Amino acid sequence: FQGKEEIFKALLARLLAPPQWDDRPPLPADAGARAFAHWMVDGLYSALGKPVSLAGMRLLVAESARVQGLVAVWESAVMQPQVALLGQMLQSRMVAAPGSRPSSVLVRQPWLVIAPVVHTLLSQVIFGWASPEHLASHRQAHIDLLTELLEPHWQAAPAQGAH
């Protein structure tokens, strides 16, 4: 590495890597909203719920003001495409009238899908809430939240694959 900024950029890419959805077993076409929510939350927590991600979040919080350009590059190159992919995966499973706006706020604002994971990570960093019980409670609440938001608009067989 030629400087601290390159090290920080490499650490951001490695420590806060999003889920690799193609590496996960595909969800059956007839899966219901709860199964889809569980599948999605498992992917998010498997990537972002690791101790290395917690270390990355600590680094990001502590150093982001000094390296705003790198954080902006990471956000546009990593986070925005992942959030857009989540929106596409959701839209492929949602029922909406042709030509109308997407039926769920999760499709219109897919960043809401990852907000509970970010809250959990920040709770660990700031408050030290890292017990297995606390994490399991957050994870289950996240599944319940997504299920409640998805079920009214759910379509069992997707127009396209879940990936």
Side-chain angles (χ1 to χ4, degrees):
F1 297 105
Q2 292 185 4
K4 288 182 183 179
E5 286 190 8
E6 286 186 27
I7 293 170
F8 189 79
K9 185 177 180 179
L11 283 171
L12 274 181
R14 184 164 184 245
L15 297 177
L16 295 174
Q20 298 301 312
W21 297 104
D22 291 336
D23 293 345
R24 301 197 65 239
L27 192 66
D30 62 349
R34 178 163 289 280
F36 185 82
H38 203 287
W39 179 83
M40 188 166 276
V41 168
D42 282 350
L44 291 169
Y45 278 77
S46 70
L48 300 175
K50 296 177 181 174
V52 70
S53 295
L54 186 58
M57 183 63 75
R58 282 190 179 107
L59 180 64
L60 184 61
V61 169
E63 301 293 329
S64 62
R66 285 191 326 109
V67 288
Q68 292 176 356
L70 290 176
V71 173
V73 167
W74 172 76
E75 195 268 338
S76 66
V78 176
M79 291 308 298
Q80 285 181 8
Q82 281 295 310
V83 169
L85 178 60
L86 289 174
Q88 292 167 3
M89 288 190 295
L90 287 165
Q91 190 166 12
S92 74
R93 298 285 184 132
M94 304 301 264
V95 176
S100 69
R101 77 181 196 155
S103 57
S104 172
V105 68
L106 294 176
V107 174
R108 296 188 306 272
Q109 301 293 329
W111 62 269
L112 291 169
V113 173
I114 65 168
V117 176
V118 174
H119 171 78
T120 300
L121 281 171
L122 284 174
S123 295
Q124 289 178 303
V125 169
I126 295 168
F127 306 119
W129 297 346
S131 72
E133 298 81 16
H134 182 79
L135 296 176
S137 171
H138 275 227
R139 189 181 188 124
Q140 186 58 53
H142 193 174
I143 292 168
D144 294 344
L145 172 73
L146 291 178
T147 300
E148 287 180 26
L149 290 171
L150 293 172
E151 278 183 338
H153 311 284
W154 194 251
Q155 136 183 320
Q160 302 171 357
H163 300 289

Tab-separated table of all heavy atoms in Angstrom, residues 29-89:
chain	number	residue	atom	x	y	z
A	29	ALA	N	-38.972	-21.185	-5.672
A	29	ALA	CA	-39.903	-20.255	-6.307
A	29	ALA	C	-41.218	-20.123	-5.535
A	29	ALA	O	-41.845	-19.080	-5.549
A	29	ALA	CB	-40.186	-20.690	-7.740
A	30	ASP	N	-41.608	-21.185	-4.827
A	30	ASP	CA	-42.890	-21.145	-4.122
A	30	ASP	C	-42.743	-20.700	-2.658
A	30	ASP	O	-43.690	-20.789	-1.878
A	30	ASP	CB	-43.583	-22.500	-4.196
A	30	ASP	CG	-42.782	-23.622	-3.539
A	30	ASP	OD1	-41.593	-23.411	-3.196
A	30	ASP	OD2	-43.347	-24.717	-3.372
A	31	ALA	N	-41.581	-20.196	-2.298
A	31	ALA	CA	-41.360	-19.761	-0.912
A	31	ALA	C	-42.271	-18.594	-0.576
A	31	ALA	O	-42.523	-17.719	-1.407
A	31	ALA	CB	-39.899	-19.354	-0.718
A	32	GLY	N	-42.745	-18.595	0.645
A	32	GLY	CA	-43.601	-17.517	1.109
A	32	GLY	C	-42.798	-16.323	1.592
A	32	GLY	O	-41.566	-16.330	1.601
A	33	ALA	N	-43.516	-15.280	2.005
A	33	ALA	CA	-42.885	-14.042	2.444
A	33	ALA	C	-41.970	-14.271	3.649
A	33	ALA	O	-40.872	-13.708	3.719
A	33	ALA	CB	-43.952	-12.998	2.778
A	34	ARG	N	-42.395	-15.094	4.608
A	34	ARG	CA	-41.562	-15.327	5.803
A	34	ARG	C	-40.276	-16.062	5.421
A	34	ARG	O	-39.202	-15.729	5.905
A	34	ARG	CB	-42.319	-16.104	6.876
A	34	ARG	CG	-41.435	-16.391	8.113
A	34	ARG	CD	-42.207	-16.784	9.336
A	34	ARG	NE	-42.960	-15.708	9.929
A	34	ARG	CZ	-42.442	-14.759	10.730
A	34	ARG	NH1	-41.169	-14.750	11.021
A	34	ARG	NH2	-43.211	-13.828	11.228
A	35	ALA	N	-40.365	-17.047	4.561
A	35	ALA	CA	-39.166	-17.775	4.125
A	35	ALA	C	-38.210	-16.833	3.390
A	35	ALA	O	-36.997	-16.882	3.589
A	35	ALA	CB	-39.543	-18.954	3.241
A	36	PHE	N	-38.763	-15.955	2.557
A	36	PHE	CA	-37.942	-14.987	1.840
A	36	PHE	C	-37.282	-14.023	2.827
A	36	PHE	O	-36.090	-13.731	2.712
A	36	PHE	CB	-38.786	-14.214	0.825
A	36	PHE	CG	-37.992	-13.285	-0.041
A	36	PHE	CD1	-37.324	-13.772	-1.154
A	36	PHE	CD2	-37.908	-11.936	0.246
A	36	PHE	CE1	-36.586	-12.911	-1.969
A	36	PHE	CE2	-37.179	-11.077	-0.555
A	36	PHE	CZ	-36.515	-11.568	-1.670
A	37	ALA	N	-38.039	-13.531	3.801
A	37	ALA	CA	-37.484	-12.617	4.811
A	37	ALA	C	-36.372	-13.307	5.588
A	37	ALA	O	-35.310	-12.713	5.832
A	37	ALA	CB	-38.582	-12.139	5.757
A	38	HIS	N	-36.589	-14.558	5.953
A	38	HIS	CA	-35.583	-15.325	6.689
A	38	HIS	C	-34.322	-15.490	5.839
A	38	HIS	O	-33.189	-15.289	6.319
A	38	HIS	CB	-36.158	-16.692	7.075
A	38	HIS	CG	-35.477	-17.324	8.230
A	38	HIS	ND1	-34.229	-17.873	8.136
A	38	HIS	CD2	-35.867	-17.484	9.511
A	38	HIS	CE1	-33.878	-18.356	9.309
A	38	HIS	NE2	-34.857	-18.139	10.166
A	39	TRP	N	-34.494	-15.838	4.580
A	39	TRP	CA	-33.377	-16.010	3.647
A	39	TRP	C	-32.587	-14.712	3.509
A	39	TRP	O	-31.357	-14.705	3.558
A	39	TRP	CB	-33.935	-16.473	2.304
A	39	TRP	CG	-32.930	-16.674	1.214
A	39	TRP	CD1	-32.165	-17.788	1.011
A	39	TRP	CD2	-32.594	-15.766	0.170
A	39	TRP	NE1	-31.371	-17.611	-0.104
A	39	TRP	CE2	-31.620	-16.377	-0.634
A	39	TRP	CE3	-33.040	-14.484	-0.164
A	39	TRP	CZ2	-31.066	-15.757	-1.755
A	39	TRP	CZ3	-32.486	-13.870	-1.281
A	39	TRP	CH2	-31.510	-14.508	-2.060
A	40	MET	N	-33.294	-13.595	3.365
A	40	MET	CA	-32.646	-12.302	3.189
A	40	MET	C	-31.909	-11.879	4.463
A	40	MET	O	-30.757	-11.440	4.415
A	40	MET	CB	-33.679	-11.252	2.786
A	40	MET	CG	-33.071	-9.932	2.387
A	40	MET	SD	-34.253	-8.861	1.557
A	40	MET	CE	-34.106	-9.499	-0.116
A	41	VAL	N	-32.552	-12.017	5.617
A	41	VAL	CA	-31.926	-11.637	6.891
A	41	VAL	C	-30.710	-12.522	7.160
A	41	VAL	O	-29.668	-12.025	7.609
A	41	VAL	CB	-32.957	-11.687	8.041
A	41	VAL	CG1	-32.281	-11.588	9.404
A	41	VAL	CG2	-33.979	-10.567	7.872
A	42	ASP	N	-30.817	-13.816	6.872
A	42	ASP	CA	-29.660	-14.699	7.044
A	42	ASP	C	-28.480	-14.214	6.216
A	42	ASP	O	-27.335	-14.203	6.685
A	42	ASP	CB	-30.000	-16.137	6.650
A	42	ASP	CG	-30.781	-16.872	7.704
A	42	ASP	OD1	-30.917	-16.365	8.833
A	42	ASP	OD2	-31.267	-17.982	7.395
A	43	GLY	N	-28.734	-13.803	4.981
A	43	GLY	CA	-27.660	-13.298	4.127
A	43	GLY	C	-27.048	-12.022	4.658
A	43	GLY	O	-25.822	-11.867	4.675
A	44	LEU	N	-27.893	-11.104	5.108
A	44	LEU	CA	-27.394	-9.839	5.645
A	44	LEU	C	-26.571	-10.053	6.907
A	44	LEU	O	-25.487	-9.493	7.060
A	44	LEU	CB	-28.555	-8.881	5.931
A	44	LEU	CG	-29.282	-8.348	4.699
A	44	LEU	CD1	-30.569	-7.648	5.113
A	44	LEU	CD2	-28.380	-7.421	3.906
A	45	TYR	N	-27.091	-10.863	7.823
A	45	TYR	CA	-26.390	-11.084	9.085
A	45	TYR	C	-25.138	-11.939	8.902
A	45	TYR	O	-24.170	-11.772	9.635
A	45	TYR	CB	-27.319	-11.694	10.136
A	45	TYR	CG	-28.166	-10.662	10.834
A	45	TYR	CD1	-29.281	-10.118	10.216
A	45	TYR	CD2	-27.844	-10.212	12.102
A	45	TYR	CE1	-30.053	-9.163	10.835
A	45	TYR	CE2	-28.610	-9.256	12.747
A	45	TYR	CZ	-29.720	-8.733	12.103
A	45	TYR	OH	-30.480	-7.771	12.719
A	46	SER	N	-25.139	-12.845	7.923
A	46	SER	CA	-23.939	-13.656	7.711
A	46	SER	C	-22.792	-12.783	7.218
A	46	SER	O	-21.639	-13.029	7.549
A	46	SER	CB	-24.204	-14.801	6.739
A	46	SER	OG	-24.385	-14.322	5.425
A	47	ALA	N	-23.105	-11.748	6.455
A	47	ALA	CA	-22.063	-10.845	5.954
A	47	ALA	C	-21.735	-9.754	6.970
A	47	ALA	O	-20.575	-9.500	7.257
A	47	ALA	CB	-22.507	-10.217	4.644
A	48	LEU	N	-22.763	-9.111	7.501
A	48	LEU	CA	-22.545	-7.933	8.339
A	48	LEU	C	-22.526	-8.228	9.827
A	48	LEU	O	-22.157	-7.371	10.614
A	48	LEU	CB	-23.606	-6.874	8.029
A	48	LEU	CG	-23.609	-6.391	6.579
A	48	LEU	CD1	-24.768	-5.433	6.335
A	48	LEU	CD2	-22.296	-5.731	6.209
A	49	GLY	N	-22.915	-9.428	10.210
A	49	GLY	CA	-22.965	-9.752	11.629
A	49	GLY	C	-21.711	-10.431	12.157
A	49	GLY	O	-21.672	-10.878	13.295
A	50	LYS	N	-20.684	-10.487	11.349
A	50	LYS	CA	-19.428	-11.126	11.765
A	50	LYS	C	-18.609	-10.166	12.620
A	50	LYS	O	-18.691	-8.951	12.446
A	50	LYS	CB	-18.613	-11.517	10.538
A	50	LYS	CG	-19.252	-12.553	9.669
A	50	LYS	CD	-18.403	-12.807	8.439
A	50	LYS	CE	-19.053	-13.838	7.546
A	50	LYS	NZ	-18.334	-13.994	6.288
A	51	PRO	N	-17.775	-10.710	13.505
A	51	PRO	CA	-16.898	-9.841	14.304
A	51	PRO	C	-16.025	-8.919	13.448
A	51	PRO	O	-15.777	-7.776	13.805
A	51	PRO	CB	-16.045	-10.834	15.099
A	51	PRO	CG	-16.907	-12.048	15.211
A	51	PRO	CD	-17.679	-12.109	13.918
A	52	VAL	N	-15.590	-9.406	12.286
A	52	VAL	CA	-14.765	-8.574	11.420
A	52	VAL	C	-15.564	-7.371	10.893
A	52	VAL	O	-15.017	-6.283	10.716
A	52	VAL	CB	-14.137	-9.417	10.282
A	52	VAL	CG1	-15.183	-9.855	9.280
A	52	VAL	CG2	-13.003	-8.687	9.620
A	53	SER	N	-16.861	-7.547	10.664
A	53	SER	CA	-17.699	-6.427	10.235
A	53	SER	C	-17.863	-5.418	11.358
A	53	SER	O	-17.913	-4.212	11.116
A	53	SER	CB	-19.066	-6.918	9.769
A	53	SER	OG	-18.929	-7.712	8.623
A	54	LEU	N	-17.962	-5.912	12.575
A	54	LEU	CA	-18.040	-5.026	13.740
A	54	LEU	C	-16.767	-4.188	13.835
A	54	LEU	O	-16.824	-2.982	14.075
A	54	LEU	CB	-18.249	-5.849	15.005
A	54	LEU	CG	-18.504	-5.103	16.294
A	54	LEU	CD1	-19.720	-4.208	16.193
A	54	LEU	CD2	-18.674	-6.092	17.435
A	55	ALA	N	-15.620	-4.810	13.616
A	55	ALA	CA	-14.354	-4.067	13.618
A	55	ALA	C	-14.342	-3.026	12.500
A	55	ALA	O	-13.873	-1.893	12.697
A	55	ALA	CB	-13.181	-5.031	13.460
A	56	GLY	N	-14.861	-3.391	11.341
A	56	GLY	CA	-14.953	-2.446	10.232
A	56	GLY	C	-15.859	-1.275	10.550
A	56	GLY	O	-15.560	-0.125	10.194
A	57	MET	N	-16.975	-1.545	11.222
A	57	MET	CA	-17.890	-0.472	11.598
A	57	MET	C	-17.220	0.479	12.590
A	57	MET	O	-17.355	1.695	12.476
A	57	MET	CB	-19.172	-1.043	12.192
A	57	MET	CG	-20.215	0.004	12.547
A	57	MET	SD	-20.852	0.938	11.141
A	57	MET	CE	-21.919	-0.262	10.391
A	58	ARG	N	-16.473	-0.071	13.543
A	58	ARG	CA	-15.735	0.776	14.489
A	58	ARG	C	-14.758	1.684	13.747
A	58	ARG	O	-14.646	2.872	14.030
A	58	ARG	CB	-14.984	-0.077	15.498
A	58	ARG	CG	-15.841	-0.636	16.581
A	58	ARG	CD	-14.997	-1.276	17.696
A	58	ARG	NE	-15.866	-1.774	18.720
A	58	ARG	CZ	-16.129	-3.059	18.937
A	58	ARG	NH1	-15.560	-3.981	18.194
A	58	ARG	NH2	-16.960	-3.423	19.887
A	59	LEU	N	-14.037	1.106	12.799
A	59	LEU	CA	-13.088	1.870	12.002
A	59	LEU	C	-13.800	2.942	11.184
A	59	LEU	O	-13.351	4.095	11.124
A	59	LEU	CB	-12.314	0.918	11.086
A	59	LEU	CG	-11.268	1.527	10.173
A	59	LEU	CD1	-10.144	2.148	10.992
A	59	LEU	CD2	-10.724	0.471	9.228
A	60	LEU	N	-14.899	2.584	10.583
A	60	LEU	CA	-15.665	3.524	9.777
A	60	LEU	C	-16.156	4.698	10.618
A	60	LEU	O	-16.023	5.862	10.220
A	60	LEU	CB	-16.844	2.806	9.118
A	60	LEU	CG	-17.710	3.617	8.166
A	60	LEU	CD1	-16.897	4.118	6.993
A	60	LEU	CD2	-18.858	2.760	7.671
A	61	VAL	N	-16.705	4.411	11.785
A	61	VAL	CA	-17.205	5.470	12.667
A	61	VAL	C	-16.052	6.370	13.114
A	61	VAL	O	-16.166	7.599	13.107
A	61	VAL	CB	-17.955	4.871	13.878
A	61	VAL	CG1	-18.239	5.923	14.940
A	61	VAL	CG2	-19.255	4.218	13.422
A	62	ALA	N	-14.933	5.769	13.474
A	62	ALA	CA	-13.813	6.538	14.006
A	62	ALA	C	-13.086	7.367	12.944
A	62	ALA	O	-12.623	8.472	13.229
A	62	ALA	CB	-12.821	5.603	14.690
A	63	GLU	N	-12.983	6.856	11.738
A	63	GLU	CA	-12.124	7.488	10.734
A	63	GLU	C	-12.855	8.132	9.557
A	63	GLU	O	-12.218	8.765	8.723
A	63	GLU	CB	-11.138	6.445	10.184
A	63	GLU	CG	-10.241	5.831	11.234
A	63	GLU	CD	-9.268	6.843	11.829
A	63	GLU	OE1	-8.857	7.782	11.132
A	63	GLU	OE2	-8.917	6.676	13.017
A	64	SER	N	-14.153	8.008	9.469
A	64	SER	CA	-14.867	8.459	8.273
A	64	SER	C	-14.724	9.955	8.001
A	64	SER	O	-14.683	10.366	6.844
A	64	SER	CB	-16.335	8.072	8.340
A	64	SER	OG	-16.956	8.691	9.447
A	65	ALA	N	-14.624	10.768	9.029
A	65	ALA	CA	-14.485	12.213	8.820
A	65	ALA	C	-13.153	12.543	8.144
A	65	ALA	O	-13.065	13.495	7.374
A	65	ALA	CB	-14.612	12.952	10.142
A	66	ARG	N	-12.124	11.766	8.423
A	66	ARG	CA	-10.800	12.029	7.846
A	66	ARG	C	-10.685	11.568	6.396
A	66	ARG	O	-9.877	12.100	5.647
A	66	ARG	CB	-9.704	11.335	8.665
A	66	ARG	CG	-9.399	11.994	9.963
A	66	ARG	CD	-8.142	11.459	10.659
A	66	ARG	NE	-7.843	10.051	10.505
A	66	ARG	CZ	-6.821	9.569	9.760
A	66	ARG	NH1	-6.030	10.377	9.114
A	66	ARG	NH2	-6.610	8.275	9.679
A	67	VAL	N	-11.445	10.569	6.014
A	67	VAL	CA	-11.324	9.995	4.670
A	67	VAL	C	-12.690	9.969	3.980
A	67	VAL	O	-13.120	8.940	3.470
A	67	VAL	CB	-10.683	8.592	4.723
A	67	VAL	CG1	-9.204	8.664	5.054
A	67	VAL	CG2	-11.394	7.688	5.707
A	68	GLN	N	-13.331	11.104	3.945
A	68	GLN	CA	-14.686	11.181	3.391
A	68	GLN	C	-14.754	10.721	1.942
A	68	GLN	O	-15.717	10.089	1.527
A	68	GLN	CB	-15.229	12.599	3.520
A	68	GLN	CG	-15.490	13.003	4.945
A	68	GLN	CD	-15.943	14.451	5.074
A	68	GLN	OE1	-15.996	15.185	4.099
A	68	GLN	NE2	-16.257	14.853	6.292
A	69	GLY	N	-13.727	11.025	1.160
A	69	GLY	CA	-13.721	10.610	-0.242
A	69	GLY	C	-13.741	9.106	-0.381
A	69	GLY	O	-14.465	8.558	-1.218
A	70	LEU	N	-12.969	8.412	0.448
A	70	LEU	CA	-12.942	6.949	0.386
A	70	LEU	C	-14.258	6.343	0.840
A	70	LEU	O	-14.728	5.369	0.257
A	70	LEU	CB	-11.803	6.405	1.250
A	70	LEU	CG	-10.392	6.658	0.733
A	70	LEU	CD1	-9.364	6.146	1.720
A	70	LEU	CD2	-10.189	6.028	-0.628
A	71	VAL	N	-14.839	6.934	1.853
A	71	VAL	CA	-16.132	6.448	2.326
A	71	VAL	C	-17.183	6.647	1.231
A	71	VAL	O	-18.004	5.765	0.983
A	71	VAL	CB	-16.545	7.136	3.642
A	71	VAL	CG1	-17.965	6.761	4.034
A	71	VAL	CG2	-15.568	6.782	4.756
A	72	ALA	N	-17.128	7.777	0.542
A	72	ALA	CA	-18.077	8.040	-0.546
A	72	ALA	C	-17.896	7.039	-1.685
A	72	ALA	O	-18.881	6.550	-2.252
A	72	ALA	CB	-17.909	9.470	-1.058
A	73	VAL	N	-16.641	6.711	-2.016
A	73	VAL	CA	-16.382	5.719	-3.066
A	73	VAL	C	-16.922	4.356	-2.646
A	73	VAL	O	-17.576	3.665	-3.431
A	73	VAL	CB	-14.860	5.638	-3.379
A	73	VAL	CG1	-14.530	4.406	-4.216
A	73	VAL	CG2	-14.405	6.905	-4.082
A	74	TRP	N	-16.652	3.952	-1.406
A	74	TRP	CA	-17.146	2.668	-0.900
A	74	TRP	C	-18.679	2.640	-0.930
A	74	TRP	O	-19.277	1.667	-1.371
A	74	TRP	CB	-16.628	2.441	0.527
A	74	TRP	CG	-17.220	1.244	1.202
A	74	TRP	CD1	-16.908	-0.058	0.986
A	74	TRP	CD2	-18.235	1.251	2.196
A	74	TRP	NE1	-17.672	-0.872	1.787
A	74	TRP	CE2	-18.496	-0.090	2.549
A	74	TRP	CE3	-18.963	2.259	2.839
A	74	TRP	CZ2	-19.440	-0.443	3.489
A	74	TRP	CZ3	-19.898	1.909	3.788
A	74	TRP	CH2	-20.132	0.575	4.098
A	75	GLU	N	-19.292	3.733	-0.510
A	75	GLU	CA	-20.759	3.801	-0.473
A	75	GLU	C	-21.335	3.670	-1.879
A	75	GLU	O	-22.294	2.929	-2.094
A	75	GLU	CB	-21.188	5.120	0.184
A	75	GLU	CG	-22.643	5.155	0.601
A	75	GLU	CD	-23.565	5.723	-0.450
A	75	GLU	OE1	-23.097	6.467	-1.330
A	75	GLU	OE2	-24.762	5.421	-0.402
A	76	SER	N	-20.738	4.348	-2.860
A	76	SER	CA	-21.290	4.298	-4.221
A	76	SER	C	-20.921	3.005	-4.954
A	76	SER	O	-21.706	2.514	-5.761
A	76	SER	CB	-20.853	5.515	-5.039
A	76	SER	OG	-19.464	5.497	-5.264
A	77	ALA	N	-19.749	2.444	-4.666
A	77	ALA	CA	-19.313	1.238	-5.377
A	77	ALA	C	-19.800	-0.050	-4.737
A	77	ALA	O	-19.953	-1.060	-5.417
A	77	ALA	CB	-17.786	1.215	-5.470
A	78	VAL	N	-20.045	-0.038	-3.424
A	78	VAL	CA	-20.428	-1.260	-2.717
A	78	VAL	C	-21.867	-1.183	-2.206
A	78	VAL	O	-22.691	-2.039	-2.518
A	78	VAL	CB	-19.454	-1.552	-1.548
A	78	VAL	CG1	-19.899	-2.768	-0.751
A	78	VAL	CG2	-18.035	-1.744	-2.070
A	79	MET	N	-22.157	-0.181	-1.417
A	79	MET	CA	-23.469	-0.132	-0.758
A	79	MET	C	-24.620	0.162	-1.716
A	79	MET	O	-25.637	-0.530	-1.674
A	79	MET	CB	-23.447	0.887	0.389
A	79	MET	CG	-22.588	0.445	1.558
A	79	MET	SD	-22.969	-1.220	2.184
A	79	MET	CE	-24.658	-1.019	2.711
A	80	GLN	N	-24.488	1.179	-2.556
A	80	GLN	CA	-25.596	1.509	-3.458
A	80	GLN	C	-25.971	0.349	-4.383
A	80	GLN	O	-27.155	0.045	-4.525
A	80	GLN	CB	-25.281	2.774	-4.260
A	80	GLN	CG	-25.388	4.044	-3.449
A	80	GLN	CD	-25.085	5.280	-4.270
A	80	GLN	OE1	-24.924	5.225	-5.488
A	80	GLN	NE2	-24.994	6.409	-3.591
A	81	PRO	N	-24.996	-0.320	-5.020
A	81	PRO	CA	-25.371	-1.464	-5.863
A	81	PRO	C	-26.037	-2.594	-5.067
A	81	PRO	O	-26.961	-3.240	-5.567
A	81	PRO	CB	-24.044	-1.930	-6.473
A	81	PRO	CG	-23.152	-0.741	-6.406
A	81	PRO	CD	-23.565	0.010	-5.174
A	82	GLN	N	-25.595	-2.827	-3.839
A	82	GLN	CA	-26.208	-3.873	-3.023
A	82	GLN	C	-27.646	-3.508	-2.654
A	82	GLN	O	-28.532	-4.355	-2.703
A	82	GLN	CB	-25.388	-4.116	-1.753
A	82	GLN	CG	-24.167	-4.950	-1.988
A	82	GLN	CD	-24.507	-6.372	-2.416
A	82	GLN	OE1	-25.318	-7.055	-1.806
A	82	GLN	NE2	-23.879	-6.827	-3.487
A	83	VAL	N	-27.865	-2.255	-2.300
A	83	VAL	CA	-29.219	-1.815	-1.963
A	83	VAL	C	-30.117	-1.915	-3.196
A	83	VAL	O	-31.260	-2.376	-3.105
A	83	VAL	CB	-29.200	-0.390	-1.365
A	83	VAL	CG1	-30.600	0.198	-1.268
A	83	VAL	CG2	-28.535	-0.404	0.011
A	84	ALA	N	-29.601	-1.533	-4.352
A	84	ALA	CA	-30.379	-1.651	-5.588
A	84	ALA	C	-30.706	-3.119	-5.886
A	84	ALA	O	-31.828	-3.439	-6.302
A	84	ALA	CB	-29.615	-1.031	-6.755
A	85	LEU	N	-29.743	-4.015	-5.655
A	85	LEU	CA	-29.983	-5.445	-5.861
A	85	LEU	C	-31.072	-5.958	-4.923
A	85	LEU	O	-31.948	-6.732	-5.345
A	85	LEU	CB	-28.687	-6.234	-5.660
A	85	LEU	CG	-28.796	-7.748	-5.809
A	85	LEU	CD1	-29.276	-8.138	-7.202
A	85	LEU	CD2	-27.457	-8.402	-5.500
A	86	LEU	N	-31.051	-5.528	-3.673
A	86	LEU	CA	-32.118	-5.918	-2.741
A	86	LEU	C	-33.474	-5.471	-3.273
A	86	LEU	O	-34.452	-6.218	-3.227
A	86	LEU	CB	-31.874	-5.311	-1.359
A	86	LEU	CG	-30.717	-5.893	-0.560
A	86	LEU	CD1	-30.509	-5.081	0.711
A	86	LEU	CD2	-30.953	-7.346	-0.233
A	87	GLY	N	-33.546	-4.255	-3.777
A	87	GLY	CA	-34.800	-3.755	-4.349
A	87	GLY	C	-35.265	-4.588	-5.521
A	87	GLY	O	-36.456	-4.904	-5.644
A	88	GLN	N	-34.345	-5.003	-6.375
A	88	GLN	CA	-34.694	-5.841	-7.520
A	88	GLN	C	-35.183	-7.215	-7.074
A	88	GLN	O	-36.159	-7.742	-7.620
A	88	GLN	CB	-33.490	-5.995	-8.452
A	88	GLN	CG	-33.104	-4.728	-9.154
A	88	GLN	CD	-31.737	-4.826	-9.813
A	88	GLN	OE1	-31.083	-5.875	-9.789
A	88	GLN	NE2	-31.278	-3.731	-10.398
A	89	MET	N	-34.504	-7.790	-6.081
A	89	MET	CA	-34.938	-9.101	-5.578
A	89	MET	C	-36.342	-9.002	-4.994
A	89	MET	O	-37.174	-9.888	-5.211
A	89	MET	CB	-33.959	-9.635	-4.529
A	89	MET	CG	-32.646	-10.087	-5.107
A	89	MET	SD	-31.588	-10.992	-3.951
A	89	MET	CE	-31.208	-9.778	-2.724
